[in-house]
Amino acid sequence: MSNPVTVFLLADSSSFWEQFAGWYQNSTLGELISYFKETYFSIRFGAYDNFSVTEQTANIVNKIIPALILGIIIAAVATVFCRRGVCRFVKTLVEKGALSPETGVTLFDTGAFRSTVIRRKLCRDAFLRKVVLCREEQEFLSKNGSDKSYQIDFTKDHFYIPEDLKERAELRFNPKGSTWLTVVLTVVLTPIVVGLFCRFMPNILQLIDSLISYFAP
């Protein structure tokens, strides 16, 4: 007798998404989302004398609007999540006394070794790199010159915050500045702002069209 879990895992993924799409289109959730999209998050373009908006362009714009709302919200969540992770990393360095090359600690010591966010930030974030230094990288640069690139080894390299940059680091990477209230406000305000934009955009375009006609020679 076949295991239901095995059957589910071996099922054709395309058929699963087709079934999901069918359920979504006929569900109350799908109807609510379609209603709000058509009522509040779609721009109803009109006929203009001096320019035109094709049906294809209108469809593209109206498809972008929901994606824009979702993208802004996801970006807000990701920003707070990443920033709080970096703030914890900086706080850990200070708590462990990693304030000089000699007292530098590894990512294993800070518990951030598995964090792809911290690794990426240590390589690319200019603000973080100004206050968090890598001991091995500084030694390499002192021997080979600042024009030489150094590849950080996250398995064994040591990181520290110079004593004279400690206050600056704590101020710059204060977790109190990265609250989930920002996300809540983004979730609430973004649809409102976009909805108002969609509501008044036809009037703005009509006004622009009238002004062009008025000032045209």
Side-chain angles (χ1 to χ4, degrees):
M1 184 176 180
S2 300
N3 189 324
V5 176
T6 304
V7 172
F8 175 78
L9 293 175
L10 295 178
D12 186 358
S13 60
S14 62
S15 64
F16 168 77
W17 289 113
E18 288 174 358
Q19 294 175 7
F20 177 80
W23 169 85
Y24 171 79
Q25 291 176 354
N26 298 320
S27 66
T28 303
L29 176 63
E31 293 177 357
L32 284 174
I33 293 178
S34 296
Y35 170 78
F36 279 100
K37 178 180 179 298
E38 295 297 330
T39 305
Y40 301 106
F41 305 122
S42 294
I43 300 176
R44 294 173 176 81
F45 296 96
Y48 309 103
D49 296 328
N50 298 284
F51 53 86
S52 62
V53 179
T54 64
E55 183 178 352
Q56 181 180 7
T57 300
N59 290 334
I60 293 175
V61 171
N62 287 327
K63 287 181 179 178
I64 290 176
I65 292 172
L68 177 64
I69 296 174
L70 183 61
I72 292 174
I73 293 174
I74 291 176
V77 174
T79 298
V80 172
F81 178 79
C82 293
R83 180 170 172 77
R84 290 178 72 87
V86 173
C87 291
R88 284 194 299 270
F89 175 66
V90 170
K91 182 180 179 181
T92 301
L93 289 178
V94 174
E95 290 177 345
K96 288 185 174 294
L99 303 176
S100 67
E102 295 74 22
T103 58
V105 294
T106 66
L107 290 188
F108 283 109
D109 298 326
T110 63
F113 178 74
R114 296 181 181 275
S115 174
T116 57
V117 172
I118 298 301
R119 294 189 185 194
R120 184 173 64 253
K121 291 290 185 179
L122 285 173
C123 291
R124 302 178 182 178
D125 192 320
F127 290 108
L128 184 63
R129 291 300 303 274
K130 286 181 180 179
V131 295
V132 177
L133 304 182
C134 173
R135 183 175 72 193
E136 287 75 13
E137 180 180 20
Q138 296 302 310
E139 293 173 351
F140 174 86
L141 294 177
S142 64
K143 295 178 181 179
N144 299 279
S146 59
D147 60 331
K148 302 294 183 180
S149 59
Y150 177 81
Q151 187 69 33
I152 296 177
D153 186 346
F154 293 109
T155 62
K156 62 181 182 180
D157 282 0
H158 297 74
F159 300 91
Y160 66 97
I161 300 174
E163 181 71 40
D164 58 335
L165 296 179
K166 174 177 173 291
E167 292 184 4
R168 179 182 176 184
E170 291 178 321
L171 181 63
R172 177 66 178 81
F173 296 99
N174 188 338
K176 293 182 179 180
S178 304
T179 65
W180 291 108
L181 177 61
T182 305
V183 176
V184 174
L185 292 176
T186 301
V187 171
V188 173
L189 295 179
T190 299
I192 294 175
V193 173
V194 174
L196 291 173
F197 172 81
C198 294
R199 169 64 180 83
F200 291 106
M201 192 60 189
N203 296 334
I204 295 174
L205 291 175
Q206 190 64 58
L207 176 61
I208 294 174
D209 184 53
S210 299
L211 290 175
I212 293 175
S213 298
Y214 180 80
F215 289 105

